[in-house]
Amino acid sequence: MGTTAMERPLARGTTKARRRRVVGLGTLVAVLVIAAAVSLAVGARALSPAEVWHGLFAAPDSDQRLTEIRLIVRTVRMPRTVLAIVAGIALGVGGALIQGYTRNPIADTGLLGVNSGASFTVVSVIAVFGFADPFQYVWFAFLGAAVAGVVVFGLASIGRGAGNPLTLALAGQGITVFLAAMTTAVALSDQASLNALRFWNAGSVAGVGFDVIWPVALFIAVGLVLALTTLPALNLLNLGDDVARGLGVNIALSRTIGIAAITLLAGAATAACGPIAFLGLMVAHVARYLTGPDYRWLVPYAGLLGAVVLLLCDIVGRLVVRPGELDAGVVVALLGAPFFAALVWLGKFRSA
Amino acid sequence: MSGTDVKPSVAPGVRLGQVSFVWRPWLACVTLLLAAATFLVFCLSIGVGDFPIGLSRVIATILGGGERVDEFVIMDLRMPRALAGLIVGIALGVSGALTQSIARNPLASPDILGITGGAGAVSVFLVTVSGGTAAAVESAVGLSAAALAGGLGTGLLVYFLAWRRGVDGFRLILIGISVSAMMEAITTWLLVTADIKDVARAQAWLVGSLDNRSWSEVRVALWCTLVLLAVVFCVAFQFKPMHLGDEVAAGLGVRYAMVRAVLLLCAVLLAAVGVSAAGPVPFVALVAPQVAMRLARCPTPPMVASGMVGALLLIGADLVARTALPITLPVGVVTAAIGGPFLVYLLVRANLR
């Protein structure tokens, strides 16, 4: 870890490497745009590019068929495309950040307890209030995610050695374990909760409207801004606390901002989509392989990769088990895992 | 040792012929205390039930001097369950300690090596897809055996996928995470498409349980565990360089790679034994070594103490689940509910000191 991080200034000096990274970033954006267009066109009813264009931009008119297309594009395909992009970026950036802040290459966005906190509040409010509609529990999910994140960070910050990456990772794991147990306990004693839990657990970008997506996107935007501000400090933190302190980094402050960013990103994405495991971990490693250890490049790459992967997985999920659908979260693991394992086997990754 | 000092001064080495080890009085003390506590809870757990038996009578019966009635209740009815808890706890604790030592990552556990994920996917498949009639045909024995095969198969798959001129800890856990994620995705999908009645049964199975253990199942698990622990014990003395990093260890010879491979395989098999006896109980293997490490103030997970913590956690949780709770919950829920917070408590306490 130390040696690779030390090589960074050298790598930055070469304009060639820099150009390669910029080109890579541009390529990712292009792929994302194409994937988004495909996402709008593909589904139970396939649409031509012209029809998508019409559905997006044409004014309403009397033609029955065109009105129908407008409806499909604007109220079904558009929301899930936007959500896949927004949540994918959030989980990718969150995954890269959590691996950086815990200095642990197997840390995932769920580690701070946000996934288990969200799951626990979801089953609890269903058991207590009998909510049946997903729209009702999105905000409880976000609340649970945020509270769990704050509790984990608070516990890891008590006393000497505050914010120590190892303590943070283990405290996150301890709270996750506990909340998962509580979730199971509630679900096993209340059938409605159990029923909701299994759908919630699959992780999906479908079925949520813009009334939910915009507020979620706002939280994610705040998280992204916080994340971007901590990147230079995160680079220095990965040289070790003492070096970072010597170079003038306010360690406690940058850790707090970083953890807040992760909680916002992962919490908001999880609230809207359910727990999408593995995505953040996977794209963080792929991004590190593509860019090297400089978090100012790694994090944007991870975000874009997250969006591309989640979008593509959602598209695949719509196509494979027609007329039904596979949830995007399930597809991420089923397709992403073998791909990732192959890269691991080929020796593409080194520990963070 | 000063008692409050987390990093002890250089511990004295002991050499007995070919074998050398570090003598840590505090570790020995903690391990003994844990063993005593485990035995006590073990006996307590046997004594509690519809026909309560006092602690002294339990101990007398276990040692062979009890009355006929007690002997029947204890040996035929309650012993298998308690023994299952003991075996599963030790197996998972040691397995976790091995995994975390080899991966040199405190977040690693056999859960990550694919065993719990594979066993879970297979059992959920049997419960949900084959439907009510076939599930009825699948007696409890058939289900556990199938789940064991699934878990073991997945574990070995991870192991062999990670094999590339030797097993590298980092590669192993990343591949393990991938394969586990796939297995969990399959499980999730099966649960989504299944009938809600089957879901409840599958969910309960996924959490792990010690209900209705029979002597025949326990006996197999017992012998397997004993053999595996013997192997671990023999090989573990060559294990210490592992913590110094791959390069240092590689410099110490080829034999080291063999030692690590054998220990990893033992970790996989021990976790599989745990699954065979109690289902895919999650988290015990993750939490127990970390708790043992902190109780024993060791820099790395101690093997024996980890096993003891695992056993204490499982038997204690089973006791709590049976006696203290208003609703019956699978033991895995209670182990996680106790183990997770206890780990957090130890972390916070260490930070406060």
XYZ file of all heavy atoms in Angstrom, chain B residues 106-186:
551
model
N -9.224 -8.650 9.209
C -10.192 -8.943 10.271
C -11.628 -9.070 9.764
O -12.492 -9.544 10.493
C -10.061 -7.740 11.208
C -9.550 -6.654 10.338
C -8.660 -7.309 9.328
N -11.883 -8.646 8.529
C -13.242 -8.770 8.004
C -13.448 -10.106 7.294
O -14.549 -10.432 6.867
C -13.553 -7.647 7.027
C -13.499 -6.221 7.565
C -13.936 -5.234 6.509
C -14.382 -6.083 8.788
N -12.376 -10.873 7.150
C -12.505 -12.154 6.453
C -13.112 -13.185 7.390
O -12.938 -13.123 8.594
C -11.142 -12.630 5.976
N -13.853 -14.127 6.827
C -14.406 -15.227 7.611
C -14.821 -16.304 6.630
O -14.912 -16.056 5.441
C -15.602 -14.771 8.441
O -16.740 -14.717 7.630
N -15.092 -17.510 7.139
C -15.532 -18.559 6.208
C -16.822 -18.180 5.490
O -17.096 -18.721 4.420
C -15.749 -19.774 7.105
C -15.091 -19.457 8.377
C -14.969 -17.998 8.503
N -17.587 -17.244 6.056
C -18.773 -16.777 5.343
C -18.362 -16.247 3.976
O -19.098 -16.336 3.000
C -19.472 -15.646 6.119
C -19.865 -16.088 7.513
O -20.008 -17.307 7.713
O -19.997 -15.230 8.386
N -17.161 -15.660 3.952
C -16.655 -15.066 2.716
C -16.110 -16.141 1.774
O -16.039 -15.945 0.575
C -15.582 -14.011 3.079
C -16.226 -12.638 3.189
C -14.453 -13.999 2.091
C -15.289 -11.576 3.655
N -15.733 -17.305 2.320
C -15.167 -18.347 1.469
C -16.237 -19.124 0.712
O -15.928 -20.090 0.035
C -14.324 -19.312 2.299
C -13.096 -18.682 2.956
C -12.287 -19.720 3.704
C -12.223 -18.003 1.917
N -17.497 -18.754 0.887
C -18.529 -19.356 0.053
C -19.307 -20.480 0.710
O -20.302 -20.937 0.153
N -18.877 -20.939 1.883
C -19.540 -22.112 2.459
C -20.959 -21.793 2.897
O -21.898 -22.503 2.525
C -18.734 -22.666 3.650
C -17.419 -23.216 3.119
C -19.480 -23.779 4.347
C -16.232 -22.747 3.806
N -21.116 -20.715 3.668
C -22.473 -20.387 4.109
C -23.354 -19.997 2.926
O -24.515 -20.386 2.859
C -22.468 -19.255 5.152
O -21.411 -18.372 4.846
C -22.292 -19.777 6.529
N -22.765 -19.252 1.977
C -23.531 -18.852 0.798
C -23.989 -20.051 -0.012
O -25.150 -20.143 -0.417
N -23.074 -21.001 -0.227
C -23.408 -22.184 -1.028
C -24.429 -23.066 -0.334
O -25.405 -23.529 -0.949
N -24.212 -23.288 0.960
C -25.154 -24.110 1.718
C -26.529 -23.452 1.730
O -27.558 -24.119 1.561
C -24.648 -24.301 3.143
N -26.544 -22.132 1.904
C -27.812 -21.412 1.917
C -28.544 -21.537 0.589
O -29.744 -21.828 0.556
N -27.812 -21.349 -0.512
C -28.450 -21.411 -1.829
C -29.052 -22.789 -2.071
O -30.194 -22.910 -2.537
C -27.433 -21.062 -2.919
N -28.296 -23.841 -1.733
C -28.794 -25.197 -1.970
C -30.025 -25.483 -1.108
O -31.041 -25.996 -1.595
C -27.685 -26.233 -1.692
C -28.273 -27.633 -1.638
C -26.622 -26.146 -2.759
N -29.950 -25.103 0.168
C -31.082 -25.414 1.037
C -32.322 -24.623 0.625
O -33.431 -25.165 0.606
C -30.722 -25.158 2.497
O -30.221 -23.867 2.656
N -32.136 -23.357 0.265
C -33.289 -22.565 -0.169
C -33.858 -23.121 -1.466
O -35.075 -23.177 -1.658
C -32.897 -21.076 -0.329
C -34.018 -20.287 -0.978
C -32.573 -20.486 1.015
N -32.959 -23.585 -2.342
C -33.427 -24.206 -3.579
C -34.310 -25.405 -3.262
O -35.402 -25.550 -3.808
C -32.229 -24.629 -4.432
C -32.617 -25.305 -5.710
C -32.987 -24.559 -6.814
C -32.624 -26.686 -5.808
C -33.351 -25.166 -7.994
C -32.997 -27.310 -6.985
C -33.362 -26.550 -8.080
N -33.853 -26.254 -2.348
C -34.627 -27.446 -2.005
C -35.960 -27.076 -1.368
O -36.995 -27.669 -1.671
C -33.829 -28.338 -1.054
C -32.717 -29.143 -1.699
C -32.007 -29.982 -0.662
C -33.273 -30.020 -2.811
N -35.926 -26.086 -0.497
C -37.154 -25.726 0.225
C -38.160 -25.065 -0.708
O -39.354 -25.350 -0.652
C -36.815 -24.795 1.408
C -38.090 -24.220 2.009
C -36.031 -25.540 2.466
N -37.677 -24.187 -1.595
C -38.615 -23.396 -2.385
C -38.981 -24.023 -3.729
O -40.147 -24.116 -4.064
C -38.047 -21.991 -2.650
O -36.801 -22.128 -3.325
C -37.872 -21.222 -1.375
N -37.995 -24.484 -4.474
C -38.284 -24.907 -5.843
C -38.970 -26.256 -5.895
O -39.945 -26.451 -6.605
C -36.997 -24.923 -6.693
C -37.234 -25.655 -8.015
C -36.549 -23.501 -6.950
N -38.483 -27.218 -5.094
C -39.059 -28.551 -5.195
C -40.463 -28.597 -4.601
O -41.139 -29.600 -4.694
C -38.136 -29.561 -4.519
O -37.859 -29.143 -3.210
N -40.892 -27.500 -3.976
C -42.281 -27.400 -3.551
C -42.607 -28.203 -2.308
O -41.745 -28.855 -1.721
N -43.889 -28.151 -1.911
C -44.313 -28.725 -0.648
C -44.104 -30.220 -0.533
O -43.550 -30.703 0.458
N -44.509 -30.982 -1.544
C -44.451 -32.441 -1.440
C -43.006 -32.928 -1.378
O -42.643 -33.715 -0.507
C -45.153 -33.098 -2.641
O -44.685 -32.469 -3.834
C -46.655 -32.960 -2.536
N -42.200 -32.436 -2.315
C -40.812 -32.871 -2.349
C -40.077 -32.426 -1.090
O -39.209 -33.134 -0.575
C -40.110 -32.325 -3.587
N -40.484 -31.237 -0.591
C -39.848 -30.737 0.626
C -40.189 -31.642 1.799
O -39.375 -31.834 2.705
C -40.318 -29.312 0.899
N -41.406 -32.197 1.780
C -41.783 -33.112 2.842
C -40.976 -34.404 2.740
O -40.581 -34.980 3.749
C -43.282 -33.413 2.766
N -40.756 -34.837 1.496
C -39.933 -36.026 1.303
C -38.517 -35.777 1.799
O -37.900 -36.613 2.461
C -39.925 -36.438 -0.199
C -38.987 -37.610 -0.419
C -41.339 -36.763 -0.665
N -38.016 -34.569 1.480
C -36.711 -34.195 2.007
C -36.824 -34.092 3.519
O -37.227 -33.067 4.033
C -36.292 -32.819 1.455
C -35.939 -32.798 0.018
C -34.536 -33.308 -0.232
O -33.826 -33.622 0.754
O -34.177 -33.415 -1.383
N -36.506 -35.137 4.199
C -36.542 -35.031 5.658
C -35.408 -34.102 6.086
O -34.578 -33.714 5.266
C -36.356 -36.409 6.283
O -35.053 -36.866 6.012
N -35.402 -33.730 7.334
C -34.396 -32.798 7.832
C -32.986 -33.306 7.526
O -32.092 -32.542 7.191
C -34.573 -32.605 9.332
N -32.809 -34.599 7.595
C -31.489 -35.185 7.343
C -31.077 -34.942 5.900
O -29.951 -34.539 5.614
C -31.490 -36.696 7.632
C -30.100 -37.275 7.415
C -31.980 -36.943 9.050
N -32.007 -35.176 4.996
C -31.695 -34.994 3.584
C -31.320 -33.559 3.273
O -30.365 -33.309 2.548
N -32.035 -32.629 3.885
C -31.779 -31.213 3.638
C -30.394 -30.819 4.136
O -29.634 -30.172 3.419
C -32.860 -30.377 4.327
C -32.897 -28.898 3.982
C -33.132 -28.712 2.498
C -33.970 -28.195 4.778
N -30.059 -31.247 5.358
C -28.740 -30.843 5.875
C -27.631 -31.437 5.033
O -26.626 -30.771 4.765
C -28.527 -31.252 7.327
O -29.705 -31.666 7.911
N -27.799 -32.685 4.630
C -26.748 -33.316 3.839
C -26.567 -32.588 2.512
O -25.437 -32.325 2.088
C -27.090 -34.786 3.597
N -27.690 -32.243 1.879
C -27.607 -31.525 0.603
C -26.960 -30.165 0.793
O -26.110 -29.742 -0.004
C -29.006 -31.363 0.012
N -27.360 -29.480 1.866
C -26.780 -28.167 2.135
C -25.287 -28.285 2.383
O -24.489 -27.470 1.906
C -27.459 -27.530 3.344
N -24.908 -29.330 3.109
C -23.482 -29.545 3.380
C -22.729 -29.719 2.071
O -21.673 -29.119 1.852
C -23.290 -30.776 4.267
C -21.848 -31.187 4.485
C -21.086 -30.098 5.198
C -21.760 -32.485 5.261
N -23.299 -30.553 1.198
C -22.644 -30.780 -0.092
C -22.518 -29.467 -0.857
O -21.467 -29.174 -1.443
C -23.437 -31.801 -0.903
N -23.591 -28.665 -0.836
C -23.548 -27.372 -1.523
C -22.494 -26.452 -0.949
O -21.728 -25.820 -1.684
N -22.450 -26.386 0.381
C -21.475 -25.517 1.032
C -20.056 -25.949 0.758
O -19.187 -25.144 0.405
N -19.836 -27.249 0.897
C -18.498 -27.791 0.674
C -18.082 -27.593 -0.780
O -16.949 -27.186 -1.068
C -18.504 -29.282 1.022
C -17.194 -29.902 1.442
C -16.547 -29.083 2.544
C -17.424 -31.329 1.901
N -19.025 -27.872 -1.679
C -18.726 -27.700 -3.105
C -18.330 -26.262 -3.412
O -17.327 -26.011 -4.090
N -19.111 -25.309 -2.876
C -18.807 -23.901 -3.129
C -17.471 -23.516 -2.517
O -16.667 -22.815 -3.137
C -19.913 -23.009 -2.546
O -21.177 -23.590 -2.855
C -19.855 -21.633 -3.136
N -17.240 -23.984 -1.284
C -15.979 -23.681 -0.613
C -14.785 -24.181 -1.413
O -13.801 -23.475 -1.614
N -14.889 -25.409 -1.896
C -13.781 -25.973 -2.661
C -13.636 -25.254 -4.013
O -12.519 -25.044 -4.494
C -13.991 -27.477 -2.873
C -13.906 -28.291 -1.570
C -14.193 -29.763 -1.835
C -12.541 -28.132 -0.914
N -14.769 -24.871 -4.585
C -14.724 -24.112 -5.843
C -13.934 -22.817 -5.651
O -13.032 -22.489 -6.437
C -16.153 -23.795 -6.311
C -16.266 -22.932 -7.568
C -15.894 -23.744 -8.796
C -17.669 -22.357 -7.715
N -14.260 -22.099 -4.571
C -13.536 -20.861 -4.273
C -12.050 -21.150 -4.111
O -11.184 -20.476 -4.677
C -14.094 -20.211 -2.979
C -13.172 -19.105 -2.493
C -15.482 -19.672 -3.221
N -11.766 -22.213 -3.363
C -10.386 -22.574 -3.078
C -9.624 -22.856 -4.366
O -8.513 -22.372 -4.580
C -10.402 -23.798 -2.168
C -9.063 -24.237 -1.684
C -8.465 -23.607 -0.598
C -8.387 -25.275 -2.304
C -7.235 -24.011 -0.153
C -7.158 -25.690 -1.864
C -6.576 -25.057 -0.790
O -5.354 -25.455 -0.351
N -10.237 -23.618 -5.258
C -9.515 -23.983 -6.477
C -9.466 -22.837 -7.486
O -8.516 -22.707 -8.244
C -10.115 -25.247 -7.097
C -9.778 -26.469 -6.295
C -10.765 -27.230 -5.698
C -8.456 -26.831 -6.097
C -10.445 -28.335 -4.922
C -8.122 -27.939 -5.334
C -9.116 -28.692 -4.748
N -10.514 -21.985 -7.478
C -10.465 -20.807 -8.345
C -9.346 -19.863 -7.901
O -8.741 -19.174 -8.725
C -11.812 -20.062 -8.305
C -12.944 -20.638 -9.142
C -14.191 -19.795 -8.962
C -12.565 -20.684 -10.612
N -9.110 -19.838 -6.599
C -8.091 -18.932 -6.083
C -6.698 -19.527 -6.233
O -5.700 -18.868 -5.998
C -8.363 -18.604 -4.616
N -6.627 -20.812 -6.614
C -5.336 -21.472 -6.709
C -4.659 -21.094 -8.008
O -5.169 -21.312 -9.088
C -5.526 -22.995 -6.645
C -4.224 -23.706 -6.685
C -3.483 -24.014 -7.781
C -3.472 -24.163 -5.571
N -2.338 -24.631 -7.425
C -2.287 -24.742 -6.074
C -3.699 -24.127 -4.193
C -1.322 -25.286 -5.232
C -2.735 -24.686 -3.367
C -1.560 -25.256 -3.880
N -3.518 -20.470 -7.882
C -2.752 -20.156 -9.077
C -1.304 -20.127 -8.637
O -0.825 -19.143 -8.117
C -3.176 -18.796 -9.601
C -2.867 -18.655 -11.063
C -3.154 -17.242 -11.517
N -2.540 -17.061 -12.814
C -2.360 -15.882 -13.363
N -2.741 -14.810 -12.751
N -1.785 -15.790 -14.520
N -0.652 -21.208 -8.804
C 0.704 -21.386 -8.237
C 0.664 -20.997 -6.756
O 1.343 -20.077 -6.321
C 1.729 -20.544 -9.010
C 2.253 -21.285 -10.241
C 3.146 -20.395 -11.092
N 2.396 -19.580 -12.007
C 2.499 -18.256 -12.088
N 3.304 -17.603 -11.287
N 1.796 -17.596 -12.954
N -0.195 -21.662 -6.020
C -0.323 -21.357 -4.601
C -1.557 -20.507 -4.340
O -2.130 -19.945 -5.264
N -1.946 -20.475 -3.062
C -3.122 -19.699 -2.705
C -2.680 -18.395 -2.063
O -1.985 -18.390 -1.069
C -4.035 -20.482 -1.750
C -5.128 -19.576 -1.235
C -4.625 -21.674 -2.458
N -3.059 -17.290 -2.676
C -2.741 -15.978 -2.131
C -3.950 -15.485 -1.339
O -5.077 -15.571 -1.825
C -2.407 -15.050 -3.306
C -2.325 -13.605 -2.886
O -1.400 -13.288 -2.125
O -3.188 -12.808 -3.296
N -3.710 -15.007 -0.127
C -4.824 -14.642 0.753
C -5.739 -13.596 0.153
O -6.964 -13.707 0.209
N -5.135 -12.605 -0.473
C -5.924 -11.508 -1.045
C -6.798 -12.002 -2.193
O -7.990 -11.704 -2.268
C -4.969 -10.419 -1.524
C -5.653 -9.217 -2.098
C -6.453 -8.423 -1.297
C -5.490 -8.876 -3.430
C -7.073 -7.309 -1.812
C -6.110 -7.758 -3.948
C -6.894 -6.980 -3.137
N -6.187 -12.811 -3.086
C -6.943 -13.354 -4.209
C -8.081 -14.236 -3.698
O -9.194 -14.192 -4.191
C -5.999 -14.162 -5.109
C -6.607 -14.536 -6.424
C -5.549 -15.003 -7.396
N -4.839 -16.171 -6.925
C -3.515 -16.308 -6.937
N -2.769 -15.333 -7.371
N -2.956 -17.396 -6.493
N -7.753 -15.020 -2.674
C -8.755 -15.932 -2.122
C -9.989 -15.186 -1.631
O -11.119 -15.548 -1.969
C -8.148 -16.743 -0.979
C -9.120 -17.741 -0.373
C -9.081 -19.039 -1.138
C -8.823 -17.981 1.082
N -9.784 -14.115 -0.850
C -10.987 -13.467 -0.308
C -11.751 -12.708 -1.386
O -12.965 -12.677 -1.361
C -10.747 -12.570 0.929
C -9.592 -11.638 0.718
C -10.562 -13.378 2.165
C -9.371 -10.728 1.920
N -11.054 -12.146 -2.365
C -11.802 -11.453 -3.417
C -12.637 -12.441 -4.235
O -13.796 -12.170 -4.569
C -10.862 -10.674 -4.339
C -10.327 -9.351 -3.781
C -9.601 -8.582 -4.862
C -11.419 -8.499 -3.178
N -12.048 -13.591 -4.556
C -12.825 -14.600 -5.290
C -13.934 -15.146 -4.399
O -15.066 -15.353 -4.846
C -11.894 -15.718 -5.797
C -11.060 -15.160 -6.950
C -12.695 -16.937 -6.241
C -10.310 -16.143 -7.755
N -13.618 -15.331 -3.125
C -14.639 -15.803 -2.190
C -15.816 -14.847 -2.108
O -16.977 -15.265 -2.133
N -15.512 -13.545 -2.046
C -16.586 -12.551 -2.001
C -17.430 -12.647 -3.264
O -18.665 -12.595 -3.217
C -16.005 -11.131 -1.855
C -15.442 -10.930 -0.451
C -17.056 -10.078 -2.121
C -14.737 -9.615 -0.271
N -16.768 -12.817 -4.417
C -17.512 -12.898 -5.678
C -18.450 -14.094 -5.682
O -19.638 -13.968 -5.989
C -16.553 -13.029 -6.862
O -15.518 -12.108 -6.760
N -17.888 -15.258 -5.363
C -18.711 -16.473 -5.415
C -19.831 -16.388 -4.376
O -20.982 -16.751 -4.657
C -17.835 -17.724 -5.204
C -18.692 -18.974 -5.135
C -16.829 -17.850 -6.332
N -19.524 -15.878 -3.188
C -20.563 -15.727 -2.164
C -21.662 -14.789 -2.645
O -22.851 -15.044 -2.423
C -19.968 -15.179 -0.867
O -19.056 -16.087 -0.332
N -21.253 -13.691 -3.296
C -22.250 -12.742 -3.799
C -23.175 -13.421 -4.806
O -24.388 -13.194 -4.803
C -21.559 -11.534 -4.440
N -22.590 -14.271 -5.656
C -23.427 -14.996 -6.619
C -24.413 -15.910 -5.917
O -25.595 -15.970 -6.259
C -22.552 -15.845 -7.533
C -21.974 -15.096 -8.690
S -21.107 -16.242 -9.759
C -22.472 -17.011 -10.601
N -23.904 -16.642 -4.934
C -24.763 -17.581 -4.211
C -25.896 -16.834 -3.502
O -27.042 -17.275 -3.486
C -23.941 -18.361 -3.178
C -22.983 -19.350 -3.805
S -23.894 -20.559 -4.779
C -22.646 -21.142 -5.886
N -25.531 -15.677 -2.912
C -26.558 -14.910 -2.218
C -27.583 -14.342 -3.198
O -28.772 -14.252 -2.886
C -25.914 -13.798 -1.390
C -25.497 -14.296 -0.023
C -24.343 -13.520 0.559
O -24.231 -12.321 0.283
O -23.539 -14.134 1.291
N -27.111 -13.968 -4.396
C -28.049 -13.465 -5.407
C -29.018 -14.569 -5.827
O -30.222 -14.324 -5.993
C -27.277 -12.948 -6.622
N -28.492 -15.779 -5.972
C -29.370 -16.906 -6.324
C -30.394 -17.128 -5.216
O -31.595 -17.278 -5.468
C -28.526 -18.179 -6.558
C -27.663 -18.002 -7.814
C -29.413 -19.405 -6.692
C -26.636 -19.076 -8.017
